[in-house]
């Protein structure tokens, strides 16, 4: 089984839609996926993801299924750099998270004090349950950090969603703390991440990521290089984001 995670195109966050660049990126995704062998599409309910998916689904003459748990990961916390205000769970300043030992293990990251103050655990578990529910329909049932294969499948499933929630799903599939993915990997708008099962012994499957943040479909038409997912390469460059 193969899973594709498509991040929405370049966003206009204030209006939950796509910028003109994002519309072009969505069409580039459609170019790539129009004739791909994909069994089903699953969508975030948010506008920017819906619009990105629409370009592909219209070309294919298909519909997707929308799930609320695929919306951007919605579990704000009291991040140190934001004073007393609630802020999104990721995009921490390095000096604020690198010294927290709990963040480096999938078994302990939720035990960090800041994660226990709000509903991070319940939201994380909600996303994991949602994903596992879909996989179970295709014969892959979560068991002991892997998946019991009740029915083999070579189907491809495609998810149109967001950076933060994709990292949560990868955390679950790969048994890695999402803090390491949120802060160590950057998936640009309209990029595609893929994971595929490995069943080296009959009946037990694990997932392995074979492409992360792939932008070949954007690079080939001159739309690559969107730095929306990243911050400044060097501090002295005022043209790139620092916060």
């Amino acid at each position: 089984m193969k899973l594709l995670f498509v991040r929405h195109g370049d966003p206009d966050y204030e209006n939950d839609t796509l910028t003109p660049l994002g519309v072009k990126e969505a069409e580039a995704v459609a170019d790539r996926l129009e004739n791909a062998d994909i069994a089903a599409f699953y969508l975030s309910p948010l506008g920017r993801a819906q619009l990105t998916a629409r370009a592909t689904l219209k070309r294919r003459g298909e519909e997707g299924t929308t799930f609320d748990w695929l919306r951007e990961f919605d579990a704000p916390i009291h991040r140190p750099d934001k004073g007393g205000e609630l802020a999104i769970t990721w995009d921490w300043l390095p000096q604020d998270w690198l010294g927290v030992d709990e963040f480096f293990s999938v078994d302990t990251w939720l035990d960090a004090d800041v994660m226990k103050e709000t509903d991070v655990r319940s939201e994380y578990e909600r996303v994991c349950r949602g994903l596992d529910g879909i996989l179970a329909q295709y014969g892959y049932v979560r068991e002991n950090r892997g998946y019991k294969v009740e029915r083999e499948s070579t189907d491809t499933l495609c998810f149109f969603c967001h950076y933060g929630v994709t990292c949560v799903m990868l955390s679950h599939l790969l048994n890695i703390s999402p803090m390491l993915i949120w802060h160590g990997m950057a998936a640009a708008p309209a990029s595609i991440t893929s994971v595929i099962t490995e069943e080296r012994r009959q009946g037990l499957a694990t997932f392995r990521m074979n492409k992360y943040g792939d932008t070949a479909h954007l690079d080939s038409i001159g739309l690559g290089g969107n730095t929306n997912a990243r911050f400044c390469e060097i501090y002295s460059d005022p043209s790139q984001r620092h916060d």
Side-chain angles (χ1 to χ4, degrees), residues 157-240:
L157 311 181
C158 184
F159 299 78
F160 280 88
C161 48
H162 311 265
Y163 174 74
V165 74
T166 292
C167 292
V168 166
M169 290 187 283
L170 292 175
S171 162
H172 183 59
L173 293 171
L174 305 178
N175 299 299
I176 299 172
S177 166
M179 290 292 288
L180 302 181
I181 307 175
W182 282 329
H183 297 95
M185 303 182 187
S191 63
I192 301 176
T193 294
S194 64
V195 296
I196 191 167
T197 52
E198 289 186 346
E199 191 180 349
R200 299 182 66 177
R201 295 294 186 271
Q202 188 173 22
L204 175 62
T206 55
F207 280 91
R208 194 167 195 172
M209 185 162 58
N210 62 335
K211 290 183 181 179
Y212 181 84
D214 184 9
T215 58
H217 51 294
L218 304 174
D219 298 336
S220 64
I221 57 173
L223 292 180
N226 191 330
T227 60
N228 183 277
R230 300 178 48 237
F231 293 94
C232 51
E233 181 176 358
I234 56 174
Y235 189 81
S236 60
D237 184 350
S239 69
Q240 297 183 13

